[in-house]
């Protein structure tokens, strides 16, 4: 069995879009490991949890995380979800 493909979703606050992407990918494909982070993490937007629960996706354990938490990890894909995080990732070694 081949190792899982690791995917990191990045946005600034890691409060909505990237968390949604993480949870949805985990829910839909067990061959992939999904993670999310932000350059300026904040609190999880309550609407994120509500949206996931509305479509039957488990939101247990979702929290806003700093990209610094993943500095020792390697990812097969890093997907930025906004222009600011994309430009920050161009100069951030953790996104490479």
């Amino acid at each position: 069995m081949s190792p899982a493909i690791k995917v990191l979703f990045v946005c600034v606050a890691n409060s909505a879009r990237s968390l949604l992407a993480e949870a949805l990918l985990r829910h839909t494909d067990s061959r992939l490991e999904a993670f999310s982070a932000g350059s300026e993490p904040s609190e999880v937007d309550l609407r994120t949890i509500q949206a996931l629960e509305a479509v039957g996706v488990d939101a247990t354990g979702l929290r806003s995380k700093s990209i610094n938490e993943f500095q020792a990890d390697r990812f097969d894909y890093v997907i930025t979800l906004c222009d600011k995080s994309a430009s920050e990732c161009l100069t951030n070694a953790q996104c490479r």
Side-chain angles (χ1 to χ4, degrees):
M1 187 169 168
S2 60
I5 295 170
K6 292 178 68 174
V7 179
L8 176 64
F9 295 99
V10 180
C11 67
V12 175
N14 190 222
S15 63
R17 289 172 291 203
S18 53
L19 288 171
L20 287 167
E22 174 187 358
L24 290 169
L25 187 61
R26 283 186 180 174
H27 181 77
T28 58
D29 196 330
S30 62
R31 298 170 297 162
L32 303 174
E33 288 185 56
F35 303 88
S36 67
S39 56
E40 299 172 24
S42 63
E43 295 182 19
V44 177
D45 188 320
L46 180 59
R47 294 171 294 180
T48 302
I49 304 301
Q50 292 169 338
L52 291 169
E53 289 174 349
V55 295
V57 175
D58 184 16
T60 303
L62 280 184
R63 64 181 181 84
S64 183
K65 300 164 290 298
S66 170
I67 196 164
N68 294 330
E69 289 186 38
F70 298 101
Q71 65 186 15
D73 295 318
R74 302 280 303 160
F75 294 92
D76 297 293
Y77 297 96
V78 175
I79 301 170
T80 58
L81 299 170
C82 64
D83 289 341
K84 184 174 181 188
S85 63
S87 64
E88 289 172 351
C89 274
L90 289 174
T91 59
N92 188 330
Q94 293 152 323
C95 292
R96 297 182 191 157

